[in-house]
Amino acid sequence: MNIFRRNHEGLVSGDAIPLYHNGVFHIFYLTSPPNTVNWPERIRTTWQHAITKDLINWQELEPALVPGEGNAIDKDGCWTGSAIYANGKFHIFYTAADLDSKYQQKIVHAVSDDGISFVKETTPCIVADADYYETVDWRDPYVFYNEEDKCYWILISARRLDMPVTRRGCIVLYRSKDLGNWVYYGPLYSAGNTNCPECSEMYKIGDTWYLSYSRFSEFVNTIYRTSKSPFGPWKKPKKDGIGGRRFYAAKSMQDDNGRRFYFAWAHDRAENSDRGEWYWGGTFCIPHEVVATADGQLDVKLPEEYVNCFKEKVDWKYLPVMGEYKLYGDTTVELDGCGTTAYGFLEQPEEKFLFTGTVIPKEANDSFGILLKSDWEASGCLFLEFDVAMQRVSLLSLPMGVDPF
């Protein structure tokens, strides 16, 4: 088992750019230069490339795109974009970064015959209209063929000038018949409630269109909206998250069986600490599979490929710490937390394992949960909390911060 989590050289990794073609899952992704964590050094990113046929065992290939030198259009980094196979070739549309240019971010096209070695164009295919959009945030192009509109669409993350400064984030649409000549349509999504929607994508399941994107200015997560038309209006579902917080810049691909998988990363933190400063980039998470429900929402689940990796039963022993408990054979622990707290730990020998179980709360109007990475007193840990009264599941870092007085 060789689950892909990070570049083989240990480089900070982020922003998955998925492509499924001829039975192979491709993940293009960004890496920062070695030993860089802050702007502007870290932004000179390279497009890396990894492939798999089973989602479990990955092979890393040569970089797909590297930043240019001198006065190149992307001298300050090849940033996020998308990949598509069309007209017998592999196409990449990416964000070229040049901090010395009036248009610091612009959209550039690259082409490949084999999906490994790409040739970049030397001029941008789309730049921001400075009369309507900021030229600093013009990035994260997502290209797909819209069967209903009979042409290619490209979605671009942007900030419009006619909105309040913290609410300018929008997704702009261009259309093309040939991937070469792009015609401006306008803002496809402009909710007026975010700084800049990052890494957007769009697809259709059944009769429902889905638009997903990430946001760094609110909750740092990936969310989605739904519509019956690709032109909107876009509505918020009851539960709009693709995973939880820090499952970031998630983008998806669909296999030949119609299964759709999201790939995302979780941020590194300073000093490798759960309380350190958040950094850009980090480690890739286990992919999330999404399935459309009857009412058009998305259910998120662990792909069966990962469940099937863990076949042998692991023996465990319950170590009580606080409260009354009962053991029923080697399968069940009953804790009595009425009016108090009861907890303990499961001792087992494996470094990697899959934990599954059934929790049956009785008269639980408060919360219960699972301790992760915990000290013996459960004062420093991650707590997967199930709040019965609020019907909410949260991953909390304990102890929680308090006011300094």
Side-chain angles (χ1 to χ4, degrees), residues 27-83:
I27 291 292
F28 300 95
Y29 64 98
L30 307 186
T31 56
S32 290
N35 304 313
T36 61
V37 294
N38 296 316
W39 179 285
E41 293 82 6
R42 71 155 180 82
I43 70 170
R44 200 168 187 270
T45 51
T46 292
W47 273 50
Q48 306 285 356
H49 190 186
I51 59 174
T52 183
K53 291 185 177 181
D54 60 9
L55 294 177
I56 302 298
N57 298 290
W58 292 82
Q59 175 187 359
E60 294 190 60
L61 305 178
E62 65 184 59
L65 299 176
V66 297
E69 302 292 340
N71 295 320
I73 194 173
D74 55 7
K75 67 181 180 63
D76 289 314
C78 299
W79 292 4
T80 299
S82 59

Side-chain angles (χ1 to χ4, degrees), residues 348-385:
Q348 54 80 38
E350 299 296 327
E351 180 181 357
K352 296 180 180 180
F353 58 92
L354 175 68
F355 179 81
T356 60
T358 301
V359 180
I360 305 176
K362 297 180 180 179
E363 302 181 51
N365 292 322
D366 202 337
S367 65
F368 61 90
I370 299 172
L371 299 172
L372 305 170
K373 299 175 65 177
S374 180
D375 58 24
W376 185 255
E377 295 183 348
S379 59
C381 63
L382 298 176
F383 180 44
L384 184 62
E385 180 190 52

Side-chain angles (χ1 to χ4, degrees), residues 313-334:
K313 182 180 178 181
V314 176
D315 293 328
W316 56 270
K317 177 182 178 181
Y318 180 68
L319 303 179
V321 179
M322 180 183 293
E324 299 294 326
Y325 72 96
K326 293 181 181 179
L327 295 177
Y328 298 89
D330 61 354
T331 61
T332 304
V333 180
E334 181 181 87

Side-chain angles (χ1 to χ4, degrees), residues 218-361:
E218 303 86 24
F219 307 113
V220 194
N221 62 346
T222 303
I223 59 176
Y224 74 96
R225 300 292 182 256
T226 64
S227 176
K228 294 302 179 182
S229 165
F231 294 96
W234 298 96
K235 299 180 180 180
K236 178 183 182 296
K238 291 181 180 179
K239 298 178 181 179
D240 65 347
I242 304 292
R245 289 194 69 186
R246 305 292 172 179
F247 186 76
Y248 199 71
K251 296 179 78 171
S252 70
M253 58 180 145
Q254 180 176 286
D255 70 7
D256 291 330
N257 298 314
R259 298 172 65 198
R260 182 167 291 275
F261 304 95
Y262 269 91
F263 298 80
W265 53 274
H267 300 67
D268 278 352
R269 304 189 74 168
E271 300 176 354
N272 199 29
S273 165
D274 285 338
R275 298 192 176 277
E277 177 186 0
W278 295 100
Y279 289 154
W280 179 89
T283 300
F284 278 100
C285 307
I286 297 295
H288 291 14
E289 184 173 359
V290 293
V291 179
T293 63
D295 61 356
Q297 299 193 71
L298 294 177
D299 272 347
V300 182
K301 66 177 185 177
L302 179 68
E304 61 185 20
E305 287 82 356
Y306 291 90
V307 176
N308 294 336
C309 286
F310 300 90
K311 298 179 180 180
E312 297 182 8
K313 182 180 178 181
V314 176
D315 293 328
W316 56 270
K317 177 182 178 181
Y318 180 68
L319 303 179
V321 179
M322 180 183 293
E324 299 294 326
Y325 72 96
K326 293 181 181 179
L327 295 177
Y328 298 89
D330 61 354
T331 61
T332 304
V333 180
E334 181 181 87
L335 299 179
D336 185 358
C338 184
T340 184
T341 294
Y343 77 93
F345 298 99
L346 301 181
E347 183 181 53
Q348 54 80 38
E350 299 296 327
E351 180 181 357
K352 296 180 180 180
F353 58 92
L354 175 68
F355 179 81
T356 60
T358 301
V359 180
I360 305 176

Side-chain angles (χ1 to χ4, degrees), residues 103 128-135 137-138 158-163 168 170 172 174 184 186-187:
Y103 300 94
D129 186 334
D131 291 333
Y132 297 98
Y133 301 99
E134 294 184 7
T135 58
D137 283 299
W138 186 258
R159 281 171 51 81
R160 52 193 298 177
L161 294 173
D162 61 344
M163 296 285 284
R168 292 181 176 181
C170 64
V172 177
Y174 283 73
Y184 175 71

